[in-house]
Amino acid sequence: MALRIETGLTAPRGFIEDVFDIDKSVYSPALCGKIENLYKRYDFCPDSFILVYDEDILAGYLNMFPISDGLYHELNAPDFFGMRDDDIEPFEIDTWRRDKFNHLFIISLAIKTEYRKGETIKLLGNTCLDFLRQKDKEGYKIGSIAGSAISTGGENFLKRLHGSFVKELEDGYKYYMVDTEHARRLLEHGLLL
């Protein structure tokens, strides 16, 4: 097994279909979403994907992007307990900006079952960290990183990013946040073990 990383900017043509195939295999139909929504978000923010390939097979991916101030405030409102996911529209995604903090949302982390043990998650985590460090070096400051965990694996990944549990959402899902202080720690000290 020779794993390699691609991004939404370098991935082979048709990778969105492969992403959707993984989604269908790991998420319930209610959480899987629609392929056209994946395309809409990708078209707006093409560098939002980190993909791990085993030769020509997509083993897993991470999908993360900066979000608008409106979506950031909605997600973090103390009285909001919904889960935003496939319903996130392109206008709720922000461009990477140097004039303010970038608040990131991890919309999905999915790995094929046969790749969950081993190097795939480690490679995704380290590549995510490298990506964030590069953005920071280019002047795109990270204000926060958030995500809704629907599995223990998702919770563990958010904790490795220095995330803290914020609130329980409807259906028992959990919302985690890496605040500005912990985002700096992540960039300076790396992932938690």
Side-chain angles (χ1 to χ4, degrees), residues 20-38 41 83 85-87 150 171 173:
F20 191 60
D21 286 343
I22 289 179
D23 286 355
K24 290 186 293 187
S25 74
V26 301
Y27 294 128
S28 70
L31 293 174
C32 187
K34 297 177 182 170
I35 194 166
E36 54 268 20
N37 293 338
L38 274 169
R41 288 188 296 270
M83 187 172 91
D85 189 71
D86 190 56
D87 62 331
I150 65 166
D171 297 323
Y173 305 130

Side-chain angles (χ1 to χ4, degrees), residues 81-121:
F81 300 101
M83 187 172 91
R84 297 297 310 275
D85 189 71
D86 190 56
D87 62 331
I88 294 175
E89 294 287 340
F91 72 85
E92 296 177 294
I93 300 172
D94 206 350
T95 56
W96 284 95
R97 301 199 21 202
R98 290 186 174 99
D99 63 334
K100 67 173 198 131
F101 277 123
N102 293 277
H103 297 289
L104 308 180
F105 186 71
I106 297 174
I107 191 171
S108 186
L109 167 67
I111 299 172
K112 284 185 175 179
T113 305
E114 61 268 32
Y115 290 97
R116 288 189 186 157
K117 296 203 188 275
E119 294 298 309
T120 307
I121 190 69

Side-chain angles (χ1 to χ4, degrees), residues 34-99:
K34 297 177 182 170
I35 194 166
E36 54 268 20
N37 293 338
L38 274 169
Y39 272 112
K40 285 192 304 188
R41 288 188 296 270
Y42 168 70
D43 288 343
F44 188 82
C45 189
D47 71 347
S48 62
F49 282 92
I50 299 171
L51 307 124
V52 177
Y53 282 88
D54 179 6
E55 308 242 342
D56 293 332
I57 299 167
L58 182 61
Y61 75 91
L62 172 71
N63 187 203
M64 167 181 66
F65 41 73
I67 57 175
S68 68
D69 290 341
L71 181 55
Y72 172 81
H73 291 300
E74 177 184 335
L75 292 170
N76 292 292
D79 59 346
F80 181 75
F81 300 101
M83 187 172 91
R84 297 297 310 275
D85 189 71
D86 190 56
D87 62 331
I88 294 175
E89 294 287 340
F91 72 85
E92 296 177 294
I93 300 172
D94 206 350
T95 56
W96 284 95
R97 301 199 21 202
R98 290 186 174 99
D99 63 334

